[in-house]
Each structure stands twice: as C-alpha cells, then as structure tokens.
Amino acid sequence: MDTMRERFLDVTTRMLDDDPRLAVVLADISASGFAPAAERHPDRVINVGIREQLLIGAAGGLALTGMRPIAHTFASFLIERPFEQIKLDLVHQGVGAVLVSAAGSYDWPSGGRTHMSPGDVALLDTLPDWTVHVPGHPDEAERLLRHAVVDGDRNVYVRLSVHQNAAAVPVEPGRFTTVRTGAKGVVLAVGPMLDAVLAATENLDVTVLYAATVRPFDAAGLREAAGGRADVVLVEPYLAGTSANEAHAALSDRPHRVLGLGVPREEHRHYGSIPEHLAAYGLDAASLRERIATFLW
C-alpha cells in the first residue's frame, strides 16, 4: 500500500497536467517528489526554500491572481510556524488555498518536537470558515484532495499521516459515516484512529462513526447517531478534546456527556515509534477499550 503522502504527490502531479489554474508551492519538503512536475510546469511548481512564512505569502499572492494554490510541507511548518501569514495573507485577504501537510502529531518521532504538531487543527479553529480533512487511508486522501481543489476558493486543510487504516471508507466530504451501530453511546473515530477504535469497541454495544472531514463538523450526523440522550467519545489523532466544543454545540438541546481522547498537552520527550507514542497517549486499542468502557459503563 502507498502512503497518503505518496498518493498526494502522484495525484497532484497529474492534476497539474490537467488544470492550468492549479499551482504548487513548496518549502523544500517533497521538492524531489515534484521534480518531474516542475520540469513540465516550472511556472506552477514553486519552491521557496525553507521559508515557511513566504510559502503562505506566495500562496496568498497566487490566489489573488485567480490561481488555486496548494501549499505543502510538514504540519508544524505549515500551520504553526507561519500562522500569522495564514491569518493575514489568506483569511484577512479573503482568498483561499489548499494546505496539505505531512508528519502530523507523531509520524516522525525521531525528528523530535519540531516535527510534531498535535495542535494544528485546534489552532485553525481560531480562524473562520476552514474546511479540515483528516483522511485515514490513501484512497480517502485522494478523494478529499480532489474535492479540496475544486471546492470553490475556500481555505482547506488536508492533514496527511503515515499512520493509516488498513482499508478505506467510502467517505463523503463533510459527512460522518456510520461504521457500526449500537445503543450505549457513540464513538467518533477521526481519520487514522478508526482501526484502533473498531478493535477497542469489538463486542461493545456502541455506534461507531467515522470522520474524515472534521470541519465543518457534521452536527446533524452526530445528533442522528446519538438519539435523545447522548454519551459521546471523540477519538482524534491530535490534541485531545479538539472537537469537544463542536460536539457540545451539536447536542446542546439534550442531556449528554462528551469524552475527548487524543494526544495530551504534556510533551513526551522519549521519541520512540508511532505505536509506542500511541500507547503512551492511551490511543492504542487496549487503552481505548478501557477508557471507553469506563466512561460509558
């Protein structure tokens, strides 16, 4: 199986051939992967070097000319480092771009804290009108990326990860997918957390929803799954509780409880493997089962 990032490189290269409005802006990361596209389209594959603020500024400038830019680098360098440019050069200017990240919260533990960004989605929540896709499989990444490119001129964040599920879900952008039904509560699995959630909830009487798009939040889908009295567990591959306020708002007219599981605020300074990080965060299947069962029962 290819990775989400490999699929992004392949699909975007082909889209550049087909869509003269599309441009890619890089900050060295993945520049070699886009080398063939840069040879064919030197005016639309732009590498600004390790200058992430310029990365976003250039994307905003391209958008102002009517182009549809895709800006790409690691999540910590795409969202956190140039956040002021995202706020001003995109949102304040009233233009849109597609931001595609890699490395996520724990993809490259040996890279250290500089390459970890569990707070990226929460940070974007401070800005208005963002679409945020968190695919859990390369097939979903391709579908959501293609949708992002043609989604008007909106600002869209596509969060790619090495951590992925074994099989794709036929996702519909902006809608949660019901994977399993039950009566004792709802567990919402985001992106690459689905496999662990399914293993953790095996033989538990719960509904499992799957979210590959988290913003806008599918409030109607959660309300329908939850019923009249709701206990909801959110399992997110980034900062724990990032979507808790969205869930509370969706269920504000009925009794409910929400438990947010994800990456904790505390920094883990021993950089092991991805499975070791998930276990340390309580996001492996065994830990999830205990935490979900304790909350719901």
Side-chain angles (χ1 to χ4, degrees):
M1 181 193 301
D2 56 349
T3 67
M4 296 188 215
R5 187 176 172 193
E6 289 168 342
R7 185 70 66 87
F8 159 66
L9 294 173
D10 177 63
V11 170
T12 305
T13 294
R14 287 186 276 123
M15 287 195 295
L16 281 163
D17 292 337
D18 298 333
D19 186 353
R21 186 170 174 253
L22 189 64
V24 171
V25 190
L26 307 170
D28 269 2
I29 301 302
S30 299
S32 61
F34 278 110
E39 290 183 4
R40 295 197 298 275
H41 310 289
D43 57 334
R44 292 191 288 120
V45 179
I46 303 162
N47 183 9
V48 301
I50 307 175
R51 300 174 180 88
E52 287 80 7
Q53 289 89 345
L54 178 58
L55 171 79
I56 300 300
L62 287 166
L64 283 169
T65 72
M67 302 290 286
R68 184 60 166 158
I70 296 175
H72 167 66
T73 185
F74 294 155
S76 55
F77 307 148
L78 183 65
I79 304 299
E80 293 177 333
R81 182 174 291 175
F83 181 71
E84 183 179 14
Q85 281 66 43
I86 294 173
K87 180 177 71 174
L88 298 179
D89 296 350
L90 295 178
V91 177
H92 181 65
Q93 291 284 358
V95 296
V98 181
L99 309 187
V100 180
S101 72
S105 303
Y106 41 71
D107 279 16
W108 190 8
S110 62
R113 187 66 173 175
T114 57
H115 290 72
M116 298 178 177
S117 184
D120 54 348
V121 177
L123 189 56
L124 283 180
D125 268 348
T126 66
L127 300 175
D129 301 326
W130 276 82
T131 296
V132 178
H133 298 307
V134 188
H137 187 277
D139 290 354
E140 298 167 16
E142 176 173 350
R143 174 169 172 73
L144 295 170
L145 175 64
R146 290 183 179 278
H147 183 269
V149 168
V150 299
D151 189 15
D153 289 309
R154 295 181 56 83
N155 280 308
V156 182
Y157 180 40
V158 184
R159 190 183 202 266
L160 307 182
S161 179
V162 173
H163 182 203
Q164 59 191 54
N165 302 313
V169 174
V171 295
E172 181 180 346
R175 299 291 302 275
F176 298 160
T177 302
T178 301
V179 179
R180 183 184 292 162
T181 58
K184 301 298 185 182
V186 176
V187 182
L188 176 62
V190 175
M193 298 311 307
L194 179 60
D195 280 359
V197 166
L198 289 175
T201 58
E202 187 175 5
N203 301 321
L204 296 182
D205 187 16
V206 298
T207 292
V208 175
L209 293 182
Y210 178 59
T213 301
V214 294
R215 300 292 183 275
F217 189 85
D218 185 8
L222 180 61
R223 288 171 59 85
E224 181 179 355
R229 182 181 180 90
D231 289 332
V232 176
V233 181
L234 306 173
V235 185
E236 301 174 281
Y238 34 76
L239 189 65
T242 294
S243 295
N245 285 341
E246 297 285 347
H248 283 303
L251 302 171
S252 61
D253 63 341
R254 66 192 70 179
H256 68 276
R257 298 185 302 153
V258 175
L259 174 65
L261 304 179
V263 179
R265 284 178 170 78
E266 294 76 19
E267 182 178 344
H268 286 251
R269 295 173 180 264
H270 298 284
Y271 302 133
S273 64
I274 290 176
E276 287 171 332
H277 273 259
L278 291 171
Y281 302 148
L283 295 177
D284 61 302
S287 299
L288 285 173
R289 185 176 183 87
E290 180 179 355
R291 299 169 82 183
I292 291 168
T294 298
F295 178 71
L296 294 178
W297 281 273

